Amino acid sequence: MSKRIPVALQMFSLRNETEKDFTGTLKKVAEIGYEGVEFAGYGGLEATELKKVLDHLGLKAASSHVPLTTLESELSSVIEYQHAIGNKHIVCPFLPPERRSEQDYRELVSILNSVGETCYKEGLSFAYHNHDFELQPLSDGRKPLELLLEETNHDWVKAEFDVYWLTKAGEDPVKWLERYQGRTPLVHLKDMTTDGEKFFAELGTGGVDLSAILNKGEASQVEWWVVEQDQSRRSPLESIEMSFHYLTKNYITA
């Protein structure tokens, strides 16, 4: 871990807080110590306004999660917004249930390639973010996540591996990082409770082998570690602060 990789927060973790006070919540994230944020919406702010807020708080736009339908229908405006806020990573965050058939996955390959090629030509990185449903085998034995990564252009379509969902699906995140080394500029860091519920946990409080994952960062050419906690048994702000302090103690200063 000789190369220090910055840490961002996926703002979906604080979705209730941002609904009440978007810029105030960004300020709290910066005060905790996060260097960047991964957006899941922009609080209704124009790009120039958001850029001023980020600059004032000393935060960087690490990446943006953009719904697949928006990528399909409004890509040019999405790209324009990213350029304006200084972000170079766009992520397809989720595949709706009605688009998860085997045929859908095969059709998604060309869609991801098309979006990815356009982003690539604009100097942006495009990635697909996994959950656990992409790890259920298809008729040919391959997993959808494998199909999507193997059949898309390596330069146009990257991966944002979510270590919680990989682990929940019975996969080893380290093996996926090794297999697609150099194709994972963003990694979602999460932990998972060791009880039967397998709930989302603050980093360092669950059973995911985070140390092994963090040790793969430099070799995998990770540009941002992205902390996300989909749900919390605590205050979400308390959870994201605990996770950041875990990284500060065990990784950032190492």
Side-chain angles (χ1 to χ4, degrees):
M1 295 189 296
S2 57
K3 178 185 177 183
R4 189 187 174 287
I5 298 168
V7 179
L9 177 74
Q10 165 51 254
M11 292 301 293
F12 180 76
S13 309
L14 302 176
R15 55 197 175 278
N16 295 327
E17 289 76 9
T18 55
E19 282 184 11
K20 299 172 185 174
D21 184 357
F22 190 82
T23 57
T25 303
L26 285 175
K27 183 174 185 291
K28 291 177 181 177
V29 172
E31 288 172 345
I32 289 171
Y34 285 92
E35 295 163 79
V37 288
E38 180 176 66
F39 291 104
Y42 311 103
L45 299 180
E46 295 291 335
T48 52
E49 186 179 359
L50 180 55
K51 184 65 165 66
K52 288 179 182 178
V53 171
L54 293 174
D55 289 346
H56 175 70
L57 296 175
L59 287 171
K60 294 181 180 178
S63 59
S64 288
H65 276 198
V66 181
L68 178 60
T69 53
T70 305
L71 293 170
E72 291 175 301
S73 61
E74 303 172 37
L75 185 57
S76 60
S77 60
V78 169
I79 289 173
E80 182 180 357
Y81 196 102
Q82 308 316 309
H83 282 316
I85 65 173
N87 172 44
K88 67 175 185 176
H89 295 291
I90 297 175
V91 179
C92 176
F94 185 71
L95 199 59
E98 65 272 14
R99 298 185 69 170
R100 297 180 194 171
S101 72
E102 187 159 338
Q103 182 61 32
D104 286 328
Y105 284 119
R106 297 188 185 282
E107 292 174 357
L108 184 59
V109 168
S110 62
I111 296 170
L112 295 181
N113 263 337
S114 177
V115 173
E117 181 182 15
T118 301
C119 290
Y120 183 80
K121 290 177 177 177
E122 287 283 340
L124 301 175
S125 161
F126 175 63
Y128 181 86
H129 170 274
N130 71 280
H131 290 76
D132 56 351
F133 54 80
E134 299 97 339
L135 283 305
Q136 301 302 313
L138 300 170
S139 61
D140 64 0
R142 278 195 299 176
K143 293 156 185 162
L145 189 57
E146 292 175 314
L147 181 150
L148 295 177
L149 293 176
E150 289 170 4
E151 298 196 10
T152 52
N153 184 293
H154 292 200
D155 291 326
W156 300 343
V157 181
K158 309 293 184 180
E160 180 178 54
F161 287 142
D162 186 304
V163 304
Y164 169 92
W165 291 115
L166 286 171
T167 303
K168 191 170 186 183
E171 301 286 334
D172 181 351
V174 170
K175 290 183 178 178
W176 282 83
L177 286 168
E178 291 173 342
R179 181 174 177 181
Y180 296 99
Q181 186 169 303
R183 204 175 168 186
T184 57
L186 308 163
V187 173
H188 264 200
L189 293 179
K190 300 181 185 179
D191 213 336
M192 184 170 65
T193 60
T194 54
D195 56 22
E197 190 175 352
K198 296 184 178 180
F199 195 69
F200 304 98
E202 293 79 11
L203 298 184
T205 68
V208 176
D209 190 353
L210 294 168
S211 179
I213 293 164
L214 292 166
N215 273 308
K216 287 292 178 184
E218 184 174 6
S220 298
Q221 299 173 36
V222 175
E223 296 179 31
W224 283 95
W225 299 119
V226 183
V227 172
E228 180 182 33
Q229 189 148 344
D230 303 48
Q231 299 176 51
S232 177
R233 291 170 174 167
R234 308 171 185 269
S235 151
L237 278 165
E238 183 182 359
S239 290
I240 64 139
E241 186 168 7
M242 287 177 63
S243 290
F244 184 78
H245 286 167
Y246 165 83
L247 291 172
T248 301
K249 180 179 179 181
N250 297 282
Y251 169 64
I252 292 178
T253 58

